[in-house]
Amino acid sequence: MVLTVAVDATPVRGRLSGVGFYTLSLLRALVTLQDSENFRLRPYFHPGLKPWLRGNRRPNERLQDIADLHCVPLPVTIAQALLPWPNPWLAACAQTLEKPSLVHGTDHFVYPCRGSRHLLTIHDLTFLKYPEFVPPLVKTYGARIQRCLRYTDAILTFAQSTKQDIVEYLGIAPERIFVTYQASRYSPHSLSPQKIADLQTQIPYDFSRPYFLFVSTLEPRKNVAGLIQAFNQFKAHTGGDEQLVLIGQWGWKYQAIRQALVNSPYRAHIHHLDYVANDWLALFYQEALAFVYPSFYEGFGLPVLEAMNFGLPVITSQRASLPEVVGSSGLLIDPEQPGELALALQELAHNSALRANLSQQSQQRAQQFSWLQTAQQTLRAYQALV
């Protein structure tokens, strides 16, 4: 019997962040496994209530190369509300998805489909562990997940530490939780020498000046204000020419970060770029002195792995999933201690032997992750449930 799996492609929309990159990368890798692994992918998306009411049911253009993409006829919230009652609508939804063996929800909820098994991806539990770090909408994720757990057969997540959080906060039995690590969107040689030369003439940054790099949404959970404070201490102590480059959109409650940036006595040495194209980001990864990611909490920490893919030495937090991702190839710090982070910046800036050693270890560590491997592990989870 052929295993048919309906995978939610809805997060592939707008400017992709971690959830969107994960979903798109997983779908593309799963497509390559269909013939050899005797299963069929049935990707689907739901446009949300407002677009659905307006008749706008078009998928994101990035999904054009994904075959057999289905638009479910009801938003997930309405489908869940109908689940307890006899009705023809859920049967119509199941028919739209060609009555799959399993439905995989990729972003904290899963579409209900009678007669199918259900797998729910939980990226992290920030909304339960650190509710002060999330906007009001994300705080509703707990209730959303609880609704899904009424019919969900298993959970998928990206680190052993996140699995333990799910056991502790949601009471899910460990044997019902699958861990599949993520991977980088880049290869180590993503940019040709000619492409690098062309990009350096386009990007408004002087790459001759050494810089520490941070990549992610600028929001409280990422500890960007603490990073700026540590950078201020580092500059005051060393007086070097090292810069700090922050790449990411302004997120929720960014005011304290913006204030820290404006008030920094080294403001001229701190550069913020908003969301940038993949090639631009690849160049910033490739040319950086080191990558710095002092986040308070992560379900995985994809920017860290992307930096390691380019052989960057990494400074990151000794919390949650981040030690799992970095292994022994980075410097781990307490994100609550800016002075500790400042010393790590100084150590990497002035110790070329340490940088070279960590760079080599980063590349070796990054080679242990691939989207093909993630897809294979995900398929094993599918097979275990059906």
Side-chain angles (χ1 to χ4, degrees):
M1 183 181 71
V2 176
L3 173 65
T4 58
V5 182
V7 179
D8 189 359
T10 306
V12 183
R13 58 188 173 190
R15 290 181 166 183
L16 297 189
S17 58
V19 179
F21 280 123
Y22 158 73
T23 304
L24 183 59
S25 300
L26 176 64
L27 283 168
R28 288 175 172 170
L30 285 171
V31 165
T32 68
L33 296 179
Q34 289 190 97
D35 293 334
S36 61
E37 295 286 352
N38 197 35
F39 92 104
R40 287 293 175 267
L41 190 63
R42 297 287 183 265
Y44 71 93
F45 74 100
H46 49 86
L49 182 57
K50 289 182 180 179
W52 177 71
L53 291 173
R54 295 169 184 163
N56 179 8
R57 302 182 184 183
R58 292 172 297 183
N60 186 284
E61 61 182 13
R62 295 182 179 90
L63 294 169
Q64 290 178 353
D65 60 339
I66 305 295
D68 297 324
L69 184 65
H70 301 269
C71 177
V72 288
L74 292 176
V76 64
T77 50
I78 294 180
Q80 286 179 329
L82 292 173
L83 192 58
W85 317 107
N87 65 84
W89 295 104
L90 291 183
C93 292
Q95 189 63 44
T96 298
L97 297 176
E98 301 178 17
K99 297 182 179 179
S101 312
L102 182 144
V103 182
H104 177 191
T106 54
D107 183 15
H108 300 98
F109 61 78
V110 58
Y111 204 89
C113 189
R114 286 176 176 160
S116 301
R117 305 278 277 173
H118 296 84
L119 177 67
L120 172 63
T121 291
I122 296 178
H123 292 255
D124 61 68
L125 289 186
T126 308
F127 48 91
L128 294 180
K129 290 193 70 171
Y130 300 100
E132 69 274 18
F133 287 158
V134 299
L137 178 62
V138 178
K139 290 179 181 179
T140 67
Y141 279 24
R144 185 165 82 174
I145 287 173
Q146 289 295 341
R147 288 194 297 270
C148 291
L149 289 178
R150 297 170 189 166
Y151 53 88
T152 294
D153 299 286
I155 304 296
L156 188 148
T157 194
F158 308 121
Q160 293 296 332
S161 64
T162 316
K163 176 178 178 176
Q164 292 306 313
D165 289 341
I166 293 169
V167 171
E168 179 181 353
Y169 283 84
L170 296 177
I172 306 298
E175 59 269 21
R176 292 179 58 202
I177 305 171
F178 297 91
V179 174
T180 64
Y181 292 108
Q182 295 189 47
S184 172
R185 79 189 97 164
Y186 300 107
S187 70
H189 307 290
S190 294
L191 301 177
S192 67
Q194 183 58 53
K195 185 66 173 179
I196 292 173
D198 292 343
L199 287 172
Q200 286 180 336
T201 65
Q202 301 170 17
I203 297 176
Y205 182 77
D206 179 4
F207 284 94
S208 67
R209 307 182 77 179
Y211 61 93
F212 296 105
L213 178 65
F214 168 89
V215 176
S216 195
T217 303
L218 276 62
E219 60 186 9
R221 176 167 62 94
K222 305 297 182 177
N223 195 21
V224 186
L227 171 56
I228 293 171
Q229 183 181 351
F231 182 72
N232 291 341
Q233 295 180 23
F234 161 76
K235 293 289 283 187
H237 188 264
T238 65
D241 191 41
E242 289 81 8
Q243 312 289 296
L244 175 61
V245 174
L246 310 172
I247 297 181
Q249 303 173 81
W250 292 107
W252 182 71
K253 280 195 173 181
Y254 64 85
Q255 292 82 359
I257 301 170
R258 188 185 290 276
Q259 200 62 41
L261 190 60
V262 170
N263 292 341
S264 171
Y266 304 97
R267 175 67 187 88
H269 298 258
I270 304 175
H271 312 267
H272 173 236
L273 288 85
D274 208 324
Y275 192 94
V276 300
N278 281 349
D279 283 352
W280 281 38
L281 184 56
L283 183 61
F284 274 103
Y285 275 132
Q286 187 160 305
E287 300 297 315
L289 181 70
F291 187 72
V292 190
Y293 200 75
S295 176
F296 289 116
Y297 176 74
E298 295 290 325
F300 182 73
L302 190 54
V304 171
L305 182 57
E306 291 185 343
M308 292 164 58
N309 178 82
F310 287 95
L312 280 183
V314 170
I315 303 172
T316 193
S317 302
Q318 57 190 18
R319 288 190 180 182
S321 62
L322 293 167
E324 284 182 62
V325 177
V326 173
S328 61
S329 60
L331 301 180
L332 299 179
I333 54 91
D334 182 349
E336 304 279 359
Q337 301 295 327
E340 188 175 327
L341 176 52
L343 289 174
L345 294 173
Q346 182 177 339
E347 189 171 10
L348 277 188
H350 299 152
N351 190 334
S352 58
L354 176 62
R355 287 201 310 274
N357 180 50
L358 291 179
S359 175
Q360 182 180 23
Q361 291 189 53
S362 282
Q363 287 185 316
Q364 292 173 348
R365 177 71 174 172
Q367 290 172 5
Q368 299 177 28
F369 302 83
S370 74
W371 282 113
L372 177 59
Q373 179 176 285
T374 303
Q376 290 169 334
Q377 293 171 343
T378 304
L379 180 56
R380 299 291 91 81
Y382 297 161
Q383 293 168 334
L385 289 175
V386 176

